[in-house]
Amino acid sequence: RSASVSGRPSRPRHQSVHLIVTSSLPCARSFTEITMARGLNREQSREKATKKDAAKNKGRDDGGLTPSQRNERDAKMLAEKKAAKEAAKASGEIPQDAVEDEEARKAKLKIEAKARRELRATQCIPAAQR
């Protein structure tokens, strides 16, 4: 090794580890040499991440759509669902008391969400700045 400017020995640019694996069986006479370099860990991490992503998206079928196409499809479906619900309200298929109960529940959820946001906002600000 050569000495660097700081006086400490410098490391080689690319380090490799050689590992010889043997079988414990008496009839096995072959040796396998595996060369591991720094890039091996990166490759193994990449493979692991790929498998994890594949497992996460296993049951999900996007139909080969891009994110913007998927957003448009979902917005269209929501609009159709909302229009059908409004038509059911107008025609009287849904009782008025059920509509009022649903609206009250949604209003309560909005108030709770607003309170949580406000609480989070105060927690993020340091005490000296409040």
Side-chain angles (χ1 to χ4, degrees), residues 51-126:
K51 286 181 184 178
K52 188 176 179 182
D53 289 343
K56 186 169 60 173
N57 295 330
K58 187 176 183 181
R60 191 170 144 197
D61 181 26
D62 292 336
L65 300 175
T66 65
S68 61
Q69 291 172 334
R70 194 168 44 249
N71 288 342
E72 289 174 11
R73 179 198 63 191
D74 294 346
K76 183 180 176 183
M77 289 172 56
L78 276 173
E80 290 172 358
K81 186 176 176 182
K82 189 174 182 180
K85 194 166 187 176
E86 291 295 326
K89 281 183 191 178
S91 67
E93 291 177 22
I94 300 175
Q96 186 62 28
D97 59 343
V99 172
E100 291 171 359
D101 291 343
E102 180 71 14
E103 289 175 355
R105 186 184 69 81
K106 286 182 179 179
K108 182 180 174 186
L109 288 174
K110 284 182 181 179
I111 291 169
E112 290 172 357
K114 184 178 179 181
R116 281 194 306 270
R117 282 193 306 270
E118 289 174 355
L119 178 64
R120 246 186 272 134
T122 59
Q123 290 174 346
C124 294
I125 300 172

